[in-house]
Amino acid sequence: MVFPPRPSTVLRYVVPALLLAATFYSLDEPAYYLSQLGPLFLPAAWSGSAKYRPSEHPIDGLIKAAEIEFADKIAKATRTLPDAAAAYRKRRGRHPPPGFDKWYEFAQEKHNAIIVEEFWDQIYHDLEPFWAVDPARIRSDARRFEMRLEIRDHKASTRSDWFWTQIWLEMIQAIEHLLPDMDLALNAMDEPRMVVPWEDIDKKMKKAAKTRMLVDPKRVVSEFGQLPPAQWKEADEGGLPEWEHEKHYWLIARRGCAPSSPARQAPVINDFDRSPSIASSFGLEHMHAGYVANYTLSSDFCHQPDLQALEGIFVEPLTLSATKSILPLFGGSKLAVNNDILLPAPMYWKEEDRFTGAEGASIPWSSKSPTAIWRGVATGGFNRPTNWRAFQRHRFVAMNNASQLQLASSSPPLNFALPDDRYGLSALRDSSNNNNNDLAAWIASTTNISFTDLFCSRPNPDSSSSSSTTTTTPSHNAKEEADECHYVTPYFSTTHPLPLSTQFAHKYLPDIDGNSFSGRYLGFLRSTSLPVKATLWREWHDARLVAWKHFVPMDSRFGDWWGILEYFAGKDHDGAGVDEVNNKGGRDEMAERIAMDGREWARTVLRREDMLVYVLRLLLEYARVADERREVMGWVGDLM
Ligand SMILES: *[C@@H]1O[C@H](CO)[C@@H](O)[C@H](O)[C@H]1NC(C)=O
Ligand SMILES: *[C@@H]1O[C@H](CO)[C@@H](O)[C@H](O)[C@H]1NC(C)=O
Ligand SMILES: *[C@@H]1O[C@H](CO)[C@@H](O)[C@H](O)[C@H]1NC(C)=O
């Protein structure tokens, strides 16, 4: 795609999409939409030709492209069961699973969910390889896990009292009356478990593709089978494959990439006791003029081998237990290459204030401080004297520290790179002779970013290698911390944690991965502030969010951070030194609009009800793929 799109191109695509969207909304009633139709769909520059100001900024083009992508997506919404079934067959190449009519009723009639078949793409991505696994093996593997849910006779139960399992149980109980018998193995760790080699997955996908067909409706079996009663014998985990505990996760993760990919080809980095090389050229494939243009691709590391020294997960994750075998294991988030099956993460279902910041979530944009805030623990994995410079949160905090920016004018920064010239930052125009003073002053006045805990104290790091579930608690004793954190205290100081509701008094919310995905993201989306998201993690909701429409995407090297900040917030937060056009004429409004669109969309398609609709669809598919008769099972009520 060409950015920014030429007006004629935009007109050709956006107008039909808008008409379709308008038809959809006039027939259906997510009420807020009717009132928002105009401003929601029209890029600001178009909402009146008098206001149109030509602009060269690449972000303008990305925002316009996102409007089109979003309008196209929702124009595909279906409003009847036969239409939904037809959209299913077209996209999936199979009949919908048995119970599809009940699913539809639950989604549409009961919960007024928007039905766009694409919204469930993740399910098909996750389950497709299992069409090449013997169903009996799927069922027996699931039963071997200690931590599992069993559904029999429309009742879900578990023997595990692990709090995540309990939350997932509660979620699944809300739909148990619609579920067939099944066993669900759950991953208790933060980190995902499976990386099946690319070559094996490729074979499985080819085999699975052969089962993809629309069998004659007269032959279709539309009832699920029953399973023997839950037994709750001791789980026989001994029958499962050996778990690998390789601490250098890059070595494991990259086998999920294609053999010809840079991740498989590039030399492995073993020495993290140095400043990482932040080679932005690896980001070019997913960027346009310095900004993320393909967000899905940006979160895939197979073309980005430099990330092996820029992300804690690859350097030394906190807990690790991996396998090459494919197992029917469910979890809350995963990297692009992991084969785990995604459920909505427990903290999203639970909606604790700690993750949602409920009380601050509706602060009006105009009364917020035009600044970026971030608080968090120095997680990402085990940080040590010899590897901390490779950790993403450490990189992000350091590059937002005015004193480190100033020091960087005389000696190279330890763990980040100064802004590239191509961003043309105002703050750097005269910095060559003033020791980065302008840059430092701008960052000091526009950001408020610090760790709340350096997370470097632990009992005995090396004892963790034998046990996959060892976790550590950071020390809160100042003296102990000073001793154990000697390698980072020259560069970082901690501040008190701030509840999300307080953070929401700031306009910009950068979101940086911790040990795995960031559990506050849903809270950020639902707030009236603007999330700026860099991530390598995939979640259940990815197919329903559009980058630059509902949130601002950021590259995992963070080289675009300052450009994003200047585009939306201007050079100075009080407006001094910012040209009028940038500051008053729309970029703050642009930020506000993305923040509000994201909020409204999250309240429409990321509700707890939407999580249930997702899980119900997922589990109907899972029960089918684990059934001997799967190739002839389906719902064909509309064809009979
Ligand atoms: C974005 O990248 C994905 C691969 O991850 C690709 O399938 C998709 O076509 C790309 N989208 C665009 C708009 O180029
Ligand atoms: C950063 O935020 C904290 C908490 O709200 C506040 O106490 C502090 O003064 C802020 N720092 C700056 C430099 O604005
Ligand atoms: C900023 O960097 C300086 C070293 O240049 C360090 O002393 C200070 O603690 C850092 N501030 C924060 C908030 O991490």
Side-chain angles (χ1 to χ4, degrees):
M1 185 174 289
V2 178
F3 296 103
R6 282 173 299 126
S8 61
T9 320
V10 174
L11 280 173
R12 214 166 63 230
Y13 292 109
V14 87
V15 170
L18 287 174
L19 291 175
L20 281 170
T23 314
F24 160 55
Y25 283 115
S26 58
L27 294 172
D28 204 27
E29 272 151 3
Y32 82 91
Y33 260 113
L34 293 171
S35 60
Q36 291 211 5
L37 205 53
L40 189 75
F41 291 112
L42 293 173
W46 293 33
S47 52
S49 48
K51 281 200 234 150
Y52 180 75
R53 271 183 311 274
S55 168
E56 303 287 312
H57 202 290
I59 293 180
D60 294 343
L62 291 164
I63 291 176
K64 279 181 202 157
E67 297 284 347
I68 298 169
E69 186 187 334
F70 179 63
D72 277 355
K73 203 181 269 248
I74 56 173
K76 291 184 210 139
T78 53
R79 289 177 309 277
T80 65
L81 174 58
D83 284 355
Y88 181 104
R89 292 191 185 94
K90 180 157 182 257
R91 196 162 181 88
R92 314 293 171 205
R94 296 190 165 100
H95 290 300
F100 187 73
D101 50 343
K102 296 282 188 318
W103 171 82
Y104 184 84
E105 193 184 304
F106 180 81
Q108 176 88 339
E109 283 151 38
K110 186 141 187 249
H111 293 301
N112 202 21
I114 296 184
I115 314 278
V116 173
E117 186 51 37
E118 265 175 69
F119 286 1
W120 294 279
D121 279 358
Q122 187 69 45
I123 294 174
Y124 299 89
H125 175 88
D126 297 351
L127 290 183
E128 187 68 8
F130 289 94
W131 283 88
V133 179
D134 176 10
R137 174 137 168 244
I138 299 178
R139 297 195 304 274
S140 68
D141 281 347
R143 267 200 305 278
R144 286 185 208 281
F145 276 84
E146 184 73 48
M147 193 161 299
R148 70 185 191 278
L149 300 180
E150 301 208 343
I151 300 165
R152 293 292 183 283
D153 219 4
H154 305 297
K155 289 274 172 265
S157 60
T158 183
R159 284 288 169 92
S160 158
D161 55 7
W162 178 240
F163 69 110
W164 280 14
T165 308
Q166 287 294 321
I167 297 169
W168 271 326
L169 175 68
E170 191 194 300
M171 178 171 83
I172 286 170
Q173 281 172 338
I175 50 172
E176 62 186 0
H177 59 291
L178 298 168
L179 291 173
D181 291 356
M182 68 184 88
D183 297 317
L184 299 179
L186 301 172
N187 178 15
M189 299 182 186
D190 271 3
E191 294 84 356
R193 308 291 290 275
M194 284 174 279
V195 186
V196 182
W198 186 93
E199 290 85 339
D200 289 4
I201 283 293
D202 189 50
K203 272 193 219 125
K204 288 198 166 54
M205 295 299 274
K206 286 180 177 139
K207 198 169 159 201
K210 296 208 182 97
T211 69
R212 210 179 303 140
M213 63 185 84
L214 294 170
V215 298
D216 178 352
K218 291 202 274 307
R219 284 180 54 218
V220 167
V221 175
S222 53
E223 298 296 326
F224 284 106
Q226 287 181 336
L227 293 181
Q231 297 215 335
W232 296 119
K233 295 188 295 212
E234 282 302 294
D236 173 22
E237 299 210 359
L240 291 170
E242 287 283 295
W243 297 102
E244 303 158 83
H245 300 291
E246 168 62 62
K247 286 197 270 174
H248 189 177
Y249 193 59
W250 177 254
L251 298 176
I252 289 180
R254 68 187 194 133
R255 71 179 178 227
C257 298
S260 61
S261 65
R264 289 276 291 271
Q265 299 286 323
V268 170
I269 298 174
N270 291 300
D271 175 12
F272 304 104
D273 194 8
R274 47 176 29 218
S275 297
S277 136
I278 303 184
S280 56
S281 67
F282 289 116
L284 292 178
E285 214 172 311
H286 58 257
M287 317 254 290
H288 162 71
Y291 298 95
V292 173
N294 186 334
Y295 176 68
T296 311
L297 191 58
S298 76
S299 68
D300 186 336
F301 61 83
C302 292
H303 65 288
Q304 311 183 65
D306 57 327
L307 296 186
Q308 65 177 298
L310 298 174
E311 299 279 338
I313 179 74
F314 296 135
V315 175
E316 194 178 336
L318 216 51
T319 50
L320 193 107
S321 174
T323 176
K324 286 181 179 170
S325 306
I326 189 151
L327 298 168
L329 189 53
F330 291 77
S333 73
K334 63 176 179 176
L335 299 169
V337 299
N338 291 116
N339 305 96
D340 305 48
I341 305 168
L342 291 183
L343 285 171
M347 55 279 255
Y348 289 162
W349 176 256
K350 196 75 187 151
E351 296 191 319
E352 279 175 49
D353 278 6
R354 168 163 85 96
F355 291 115
T356 63
E359 62 198 279
S362 51
I363 301 172
W365 181 261
S366 55
S367 53
K368 290 177 197 265
S369 161
T371 48
I373 185 126
W374 187 88
R375 289 290 182 280
V377 176
T379 52
F382 273 112
N383 73 75
R384 304 175 190 274
T386 50
N387 71 13
W388 67 272
R389 281 171 286 184
F391 279 59
Q392 67 275 13
R393 289 187 164 186
H394 292 77
R395 294 192 288 113
F396 190 73
V397 173
M399 66 187 270
N400 283 288
N401 179 324
S403 103
Q404 298 201 33
L405 290 171
Q406 243 160 353
L407 291 172
S409 68
S410 50
S411 56
L414 283 177
N415 65 342
F416 63 93
L418 283 170
D420 194 297
D421 284 344
R422 72 181 149 167
Y423 290 101
L425 296 180
S426 314
L428 276 183
R429 277 188 202 135
D430 313 308
S431 280
S432 44
N433 332 328
N434 81 0
N435 303 330
N436 288 342
N437 281 339
D438 289 354
L439 180 64
W442 172 56
I443 286 304
S445 65
T446 330
T447 71
N448 188 327
I449 287 171
S450 56
F451 282 130
T452 55
D453 196 308
L454 297 176
F455 204 69
C456 36
S457 109
R458 54 191 48 97
N460 178 4
D462 285 321
S463 68
S464 67
S465 55
S466 53
S467 158
S468 54
T469 47
T470 304
T471 51
T472 55
T473 35
S475 163
H476 292 281
N477 173 317
K479 162 104 178 47
E480 238 174 68
E481 179 169 289
D483 290 348
E484 310 217 13
C485 294
H486 61 92
Y487 58 97
V488 271
T489 43
Y491 315 108
F492 303 98
S493 47
T494 55
T495 55
H496 285 294
L498 287 180
L500 286 192
S501 53
T502 311
Q503 298 185 31
F504 292 164
H506 299 257
K507 287 185 176 173
Y508 304 99
L509 305 173
D511 195 26
I512 311 296
D513 294 333
N515 296 328
S516 65
F517 80 112
S518 154
R520 47 187 116 159
Y521 187 42
L522 181 57
F524 280 14
L525 286 164
R526 286 179 179 165
S527 81
T528 47
S529 294
L530 179 64
V532 180
K533 176 89 171 159
T535 191
L536 292 182
W537 298 90
R538 299 279 167 89
E539 298 184 58
W540 75 280
H541 56 220
D542 292 346
R544 25 192 94 193
L545 295 168
V546 176
W548 297 109
K549 169 70 184 169
H550 303 124
F551 66 96
V552 169
M554 175 163 64
D555 181 58
S556 287
R557 294 163 199 78
F558 313 137
D560 45 351
W561 166 242
W562 295 289
I564 289 169
L565 201 58
E566 180 172 296
Y567 177 85
F568 291 111
K571 180 179 179 289
D572 268 344
H573 74 279
D574 60 7
V578 182
D579 65 79
E580 289 286 284
V581 170
N582 284 359
N583 202 34
K584 288 211 178 123
R587 286 166 176 189
D588 180 74
E589 284 165 28
M590 216 59 119
E592 178 180 8
R593 207 183 55 220
I594 299 173
M596 296 313 142
D597 285 356
R599 170 183 173 82
E600 292 305 334
W601 191 236
R603 284 148 70 113
T604 309
V605 301
L606 303 183
R607 304 165 303 167
R608 288 173 104 221
E609 293 88 325
D610 297 297
M611 298 178 201
L612 291 179
V613 170
Y614 184 94
V615 175
L616 180 54
R617 170 76 85 93
L618 170 66
L619 297 185
L620 293 177
E621 297 288 5
Y622 171 66
R624 172 166 66 172
V625 81
D627 193 302
E628 310 298 336
R629 302 161 304 163
R630 63 191 180 190
E631 288 180 34
V632 290
M633 287 171 76
W635 181 83
V636 288
D638 57 330
L639 305 177
M640 300 301 278

